[in-house]
Amino acid sequence: MSGVSSESLLKSSWSILKADTRILKTQLVGFLVMTLLGVAMVAGVFLLGDLTISRDEFAFAMTPASIVFYFAMYIAITFASSVVQATVLAYSLAKFRKQKLTASEVWSQVKQSMAGLALFSLLTATIGLALRLLEERLPLAGKIATWIFGAIWAIASMFSVAVIVDKKETDPIEATKESAKVIKNTFGSNVRVNLGLTSLALLGVLTVVVTGGLASVGLFLVAEAAGVAGIVLSFIALLGLLVVVSTLSGIIKAGLYEYSVSGKSPAEFNENLLKSAVTQKKARKAFRWS
């Protein structure tokens, strides 16, 4: 799928978001929670680890306690991310299916999927941590193998959260198998869709970082307080951009999922545009197991 199509999908999802911005509140809260969890994870790992700081040395080694804490926080962050994704997907699918749900009703649907989301988060975190540990201990060929497996897992599980929310699936393996079936049966260009969206997001992030960085440096030359304010405003702008892009990406994923399982284009999307993203091309042999 071309970059133009990715931009067109973003425009379609943007029109949906503009019609009802309530979902942004959930995304913002989710990002803040994940940020706090990330800070707590880093702080806890350092506090529980073996940290040596002196004038001539800075060394850190993981201890059993810090490893356990890291894994627990990694699961918590993954779970928070899954819940945020589930909320966007539940809201978007309801809108596509002409179901007028309130925010509390959308949240009720997500709560019904909590068991599946928790187990999926546990599985995803376990695989992610295992791959990271293997990558640190294996030679180059082993590292490449872990990267390939990680990419295959990321693609295969692309619609796992959607399956869990839509079908109330509690088994993460079955949810991932269903996700892989969606990809194998109907998707040929979905990876390029995500690459296109990622490229646009990175361009936006780079623009904010460079512009904000240069502005902050200039403000520091005027006054230290002004420079600090510039950094804070740049961080807020970056957070806002990430929240909006993440929400738009979730809406697009919901649209592609709905089109792939029902064969009908949501009214909010141009059908020909979705057809350019969804094809009958089979996925690679990596998905035979589904």
Side-chain angles (χ1 to χ4, degrees):
M1 184 175 184
S2 66
V4 174
S5 296
S6 295
E7 293 174 9
S8 300
L9 282 173
L10 273 177
K11 289 179 181 178
S12 296
S13 60
W14 176 250
S15 65
I16 297 171
L17 182 58
K18 284 196 302 181
D20 191 340
T21 58
R22 291 175 300 173
I23 196 65
L24 279 176
K25 296 178 182 178
T26 302
Q27 284 282 66
L28 180 58
V29 171
F31 265 81
L32 291 175
V33 169
M34 285 185 283
T35 300
L36 291 175
L37 288 174
V39 172
M41 179 176 71
V42 173
V45 166
F46 271 101
L47 288 173
L48 295 172
D50 185 8
L51 179 63
T52 302
I53 301 178
S54 65
R55 183 173 298 179
D56 303 319
E57 182 184 7
F58 178 87
F60 176 77
M62 296 284 281
T63 63
S66 65
I67 292 174
V68 171
F69 180 79
Y70 172 82
F71 183 57
M73 294 301 294
Y74 190 38
I75 293 173
I77 293 172
T78 305
F79 178 65
S81 175
S82 296
V83 171
V84 172
Q85 288 183 58
T87 305
V88 176
L89 288 164
Y91 167 83
S92 302
L93 289 175
K95 189 172 184 64
F96 295 152
R97 295 166 184 176
K98 308 304 179 185
Q99 300 170 350
K100 296 182 179 180
L101 302 181
T102 64
S104 61
E105 289 172 330
V106 170
W107 180 242
S108 178
Q109 285 196 359
V110 175
K111 286 196 294 185
Q112 294 174 26
S113 308
M114 284 296 185
L117 293 173
L119 291 173
F120 175 72
S121 299
L122 176 61
L123 177 62
T124 300
T126 302
I127 291 175
L129 183 59
L131 290 177
R132 184 170 299 180
L133 292 174
L134 286 173
E135 183 181 334
E136 293 175 354
R137 290 163 172 76
L138 293 175
L140 180 59
K143 293 181 188 295
I144 293 174
T146 59
W147 297 338
I148 293 174
F149 181 83
I152 291 174
W153 171 256
I155 295 171
S157 62
M158 189 177 297
F159 294 98
S160 294
V161 173
V163 172
I164 291 171
V165 171
D166 188 34
K167 300 183 177 181
K168 302 299 181 289
E169 178 62 64
T170 57
D171 186 337
I173 299 295
E174 289 301 318
T176 304
K177 286 182 178 180
E178 287 296 319
S179 172
K181 284 180 181 178
V182 171
I183 296 170
K184 185 176 72 172
N185 291 335
T186 57
F187 279 70
S189 303
N190 58 340
V191 175
R192 284 188 289 172
V193 173
N194 282 278
L195 287 175
L197 295 176
T198 301
S199 298
L200 292 173
L202 287 176
L203 180 61
V205 169
L206 183 62
T207 301
V208 171
V209 170
V210 172
T211 303
L214 292 175
S216 297
V217 171
L219 289 171
F220 262 115
L221 296 176
V222 176
E224 185 175 329
V228 173
I231 293 176
V232 172
L233 291 175
S234 298
F235 176 78
I236 293 174
L238 181 60
L239 177 62
L241 175 65
L242 292 175
V243 168
V244 171
V245 170
S246 177
T247 305
L248 295 177
S249 178
I251 294 172
I252 291 172
K253 184 179 290 187
L256 293 174
Y257 173 81
E258 176 66 12
Y259 185 68
S260 70
V261 298
S262 69
K264 298 178 181 179
S265 171
E268 293 81 1
F269 284 93
N270 181 292
E271 184 168 0
N272 291 329
L273 184 61
L274 285 180
K275 283 182 178 178
S276 70
V278 182
T279 72
Q280 292 301 320
K281 191 186 298 182
K282 298 293 184 181
R284 295 185 177 183
K285 295 179 180 180
F287 301 109
R288 275 184 179 174
W289 53 270
S290 65

